[in-house]
Amino acid sequence: METAIATVNRTPFSINNSRVLSSNFTTGSVSALGFSLPNSKSPSFNQRSRVYVTRASIAVEEKTETKAAVIRIGTRGSPLALAQAYETREKLIKSHPDLAEEGAIQIVIIKTTGDKILSQPLADIGGKGLFTKEIDEALINSDIDIAVHSMKDVPTYLPEKTILPCNLPREDVRDAFICLSAASLAELPAGSIVGTASLRRKSQLLNRYPSLEVLENFRGNVQTRLKKLNEGVVQATLLALAGLKRLNMAETVTSVLSIDDMLPAVAQGAIGIACRSDDEKMITYLASLNHEDTRLAISCERAFLEKLEGSCRTPIAGYARKDEDGNCLFKALVASPDGTQVLETSRKGPYAYEDMIKMGVDAGEELLLRAGPGFFTR
């Protein structure tokens, strides 16, 4: 069985340094590099500013276990996916000290179709389920005991014999703007190219800044995208702030987009943990980790997405949160891919499961009606 060990260190270098930022795969190890960019508040915002490498080295070693693991965690192998798996492991150990024994929790890396095929848009090869399919199969086949997912990658349906009873506390849901030459989207010159694989980001970006261009299918893990930015393939990119924080790479952010400027993807910033529906032992473990406010918010957003039958071909955004009065405030939108049409709506009601599901469904029904036939199939 495989056990993963992660270490992090930082090394300064100049942005003009010719060293290539890359993900290097060698026998038994993965090295993933990122970099930080000048802060927009810096008095001297130029390419002579110093930059720092965040190096996350993940060593995978074969071990012969003296006894079977209590919990086998299934995950993708990207640095972000592993960070989420480690966060899950730490929370399990904190809640259940008996799991601190060496070998009690093992991390099993599973390569998904979405990880293998990077040359095509997700919509052309089957959609977001391609990041979860092989992990779901391993769970159903009892090769793993729990599966850790980024919730925005999880389809609105779950495979038979599985449940998703646990969401960890949600990270910051906002999107981050990362650029070497400008402090904000508004400062980018006309014709500047922004890289993103997200139709949601593309449509909202072009709606507000129609003079910009978007390089589509800008796929790959965080380190790969930052490498492309550093090489000048694009002038800027947009990434989820949550992922950067979990990778300890928040220093790469040039500026953070407000919710009003860029409504997040459904379930952005949330981690979900699935198990088999008949595995009472894992259900009990996961119950101790579940953050109910996050679970309710995600349920509202996914009810909205399910009503729209959303896919990777449709720009959809939705965000539910608890306001200062303890109520649920839900904002949602659908858009045309070119950003010329953006339809928005909102709901407010009790922060309770049934009420929040109803809000999500109701918002979806409204936008379906307003969009009319053909809007989602263009």
Side-chain angles (χ1 to χ4, degrees):
M1 185 57 66
E2 295 180 341
T3 306
I5 305 165
T7 59
V8 176
N9 59 69
R10 295 169 188 254
T11 308
F13 81 117
S14 165
I15 202 163
N16 293 320
N17 192 312
S18 60
R19 184 171 60 175
V20 177
L21 298 178
S22 63
S23 294
N24 302 309
F25 294 87
T26 59
T27 303
S29 69
V30 179
S31 177
L33 288 79
F35 63 98
S36 79
L37 303 172
N39 189 290
S40 59
K41 296 180 180 178
S42 170
S44 177
F45 191 80
N46 58 57
Q47 292 203 358
R48 290 191 299 274
S49 300
R50 290 187 71 78
V51 186
Y52 288 82
V53 172
T54 299
R55 183 191 300 271
S57 299
I58 298 140
V60 180
E61 60 185 45
E62 295 290 338
K63 286 188 176 181
T64 302
E65 300 296 338
T66 57
K67 67 174 187 176
V70 178
I71 300 178
R72 296 163 298 168
I73 301 176
T75 177
R76 294 166 60 198
S78 72
L80 177 55
L82 287 170
Q84 295 178 164
Y86 297 144
E87 180 179 342
T88 301
R89 182 176 65 180
E90 289 167 5
K91 289 182 181 298
L92 280 167
I93 291 172
K94 185 175 181 180
S95 297
H96 305 277
D98 56 300
L99 295 175
E101 183 179 350
E102 184 177 359
I105 300 178
Q106 294 176 349
I107 291 175
V108 181
I109 297 172
I110 300 168
K111 195 154 190 177
T112 68
T113 303
D115 296 312
K116 296 172 186 175
I117 305 175
L118 297 176
S119 59
Q120 298 172 260
L122 287 175
D124 293 346
I125 57 175
K128 288 186 178 181
L130 294 176
F131 285 122
T132 60
K133 180 175 179 288
E134 285 82 359
I135 300 176
D136 290 335
E137 289 173 351
L139 183 61
I140 292 168
N141 294 333
S142 297
D143 295 322
I144 58 175
D145 301 301
I146 62 175
V148 177
H149 298 298
S150 292
M151 279 303 300
K152 70 177 182 179
D153 290 338
V154 179
T156 52
Y157 60 88
L158 296 176
E160 287 186 30
K161 301 181 181 179
T162 71
I163 56 173
L164 211 160
C166 175
N167 288 118
L168 300 186
R170 197 174 197 175
E171 247 296 358
D172 197 316
V173 302
R174 295 174 295 172
D175 286 296
F177 171 72
I178 305 176
C179 182
L180 298 172
S181 58
S184 67
L185 279 168
E187 293 184 20
L188 282 175
S192 295
I193 301 173
V194 180
T196 179
S198 164
L199 284 179
R200 171 190 63 87
R201 291 183 179 125
K202 174 188 173 183
S203 61
Q204 293 184 77
L205 176 70
L206 293 179
N207 180 258
R208 291 180 177 275
Y209 304 100
S211 66
L212 299 178
E213 297 183 18
V214 174
L215 176 63
E216 297 183 44
N217 199 34
F218 194 72
R219 291 184 57 207
N221 63 33
V222 170
Q223 289 77 11
T224 298
R225 295 186 220 188
L226 294 182
K227 173 179 176 285
K228 291 178 181 179
L229 173 63
N230 196 47
E231 292 174 342
V233 176
V234 295
Q235 281 70 62
T237 189
L238 302 174
L239 296 173
L241 182 57
L244 294 169
K245 285 187 172 184
R246 289 188 172 117
L247 287 167
N248 294 318
M249 294 174 65
E251 73 276 7
T252 63
V253 176
T254 305
S255 61
V256 178
L257 304 181
S258 73
I259 297 297
D260 292 332
D261 286 336
M262 182 70 67
L263 196 63
V266 164
Q268 183 155 303
I271 296 172
I273 310 176
C275 66
R276 290 180 294 278
S277 56
D278 62 353
D279 193 336
E280 295 297 332
K281 185 177 182 181
M282 293 304 128
I283 291 171
T284 300
Y285 276 129
L286 296 184
S288 67
L289 303 191
N290 181 55
H291 188 257
E292 189 63 5
D293 278 0
T294 297
R295 189 185 75 86
L296 294 179
I298 299 307
S299 297
C300 176
E301 295 168 20
R302 283 167 61 82
F304 165 71
L305 184 65
E306 183 176 19
K307 188 63 186 180
L308 293 175
E309 297 182 348
S311 71
C312 293
R313 296 185 183 277
T314 309
I316 296 172
Y319 176 44
R321 66 176 179 86
K322 185 176 285 188
D323 66 14
E324 58 277 6
D325 298 320
N327 291 313
C328 175
L329 181 60
F330 178 55
K331 297 182 68 174
L333 68 76
V334 296
S336 59
D338 62 4
T340 55
Q341 287 183 278
V342 176
L343 306 177
E344 301 177 88
T345 191
S346 63
R347 296 290 186 279
K348 185 174 181 178
Y351 207 95
Y353 182 79
E354 295 296 337
D355 297 278
M356 293 169 71
I357 292 294
K358 186 177 184 303
M359 280 188 273
V361 171
D362 191 56
E365 289 175 343
E366 179 197 329
L367 291 183
L368 278 172
L369 184 63
R370 288 170 57 190
F375 187 90
F376 296 100
T377 56
R378 295 177 184 180

